[in-house]
Amino acid sequence: MTQLPRIVLPAEGESVQIGTTTRTTFKAVGQETDNRLGLFEHRMDPGAPGASPHIHKEQLEAFYVLHGTVELHLDGRSFPAGPGTYVNVPENMSHGFRNPYEDQATMLIVFTPAKDREEYFRGLAELYADGNRPTEDELLDLMSRYDQYEVTVDGTVPGWGRH
């Protein structure tokens, strides 16, 4: 068992910058929770394209909006999610998020099991570093290594993109 006691105060935790619009701070990662839980603070600037609809085959993901409004996509339905909104996403259910609004938004993202999920966000940060625009193949390769699989969108969710 590798669970470690830890206190993470506001503004603490390792952060990664994804493109120019998104910052993710790792509050808890699998290595310190015996892979039982990952907890990330995800801050998106206005207009952040976020994550296009996708699924996880081996992880439950949940969102809790702290500040601002996030547009969430869950199982074919998109909706605005304001502060206090909680969304539970079971395995194999399509979901995505973005911030098409005029204010910054912050939400907590929970993964269980954690399974090195922070490595996916570190990989995104690396792919988008220094103004780079990764290819579709680079993004799909990163996703497949960390239990993330793109959903083909039939046009009913216009404007969804990536960081």
Side-chain angles (χ1 to χ4, degrees):
M1 188 177 280
T2 58
Q3 295 179 44
L4 303 172
R6 186 168 182 216
I7 296 171
V8 182
L9 297 173
E12 290 185 345
E14 177 192 348
S15 291
V16 294
Q17 181 69 37
I18 303 169
T20 60
T21 61
T22 304
R23 184 164 207 67
T24 302
T25 302
F26 308 133
K27 297 296 186 174
V29 296
Q31 184 178 9
E32 57 201 28
T33 66
D34 211 18
N35 283 328
R36 294 179 185 184
L37 173 76
L39 178 64
F40 304 165
E41 184 180 273
H42 195 74
R43 191 171 356 128
M44 296 181 289
D45 289 342
S52 57
H54 61 278
I55 65 165
H56 304 288
K57 295 179 180 178
E58 299 177 7
Q59 292 179 317
L60 176 145
E61 185 171 5
F63 304 101
Y64 185 81
V65 180
L66 296 171
H67 172 76
T69 302
V70 177
E71 183 175 3
L72 290 172
H73 177 78
L74 181 66
D75 199 25
R77 177 179 165 233
S78 296
F79 56 95
T85 301
Y86 170 77
V87 176
N88 187 67
V89 183
E91 296 170 352
N92 296 304
M93 182 169 285
S94 69
H95 61 286
F97 54 85
R98 66 181 181 161
N99 181 8
Y101 305 106
E102 294 181 10
D103 295 319
Q104 186 179 75
T106 304
M107 64 181 176
L108 296 176
I109 304 175
V110 177
F111 294 98
T112 183
K115 292 188 178 181
D116 296 323
R117 190 64 186 159
E118 67 279 3
E119 295 303 327
Y120 172 73
F121 287 83
R122 286 182 183 130
L124 277 178
E126 185 178 311
L127 286 175
Y128 283 94
D130 301 320
N132 290 333
R133 297 292 301 168
T135 67
E136 187 74 4
D137 286 344
E138 288 173 319
L139 287 168
L140 292 174
D141 176 62
L142 178 67
M143 289 177 195
S144 70
R145 286 186 275 142
Y146 297 103
D147 188 39
Q148 184 160 323
Y149 305 91
E150 200 75 353
V151 173
T152 301
V153 180
D154 64 6
T156 60
V157 188
W160 286 86
R162 297 191 179 100
H163 306 283

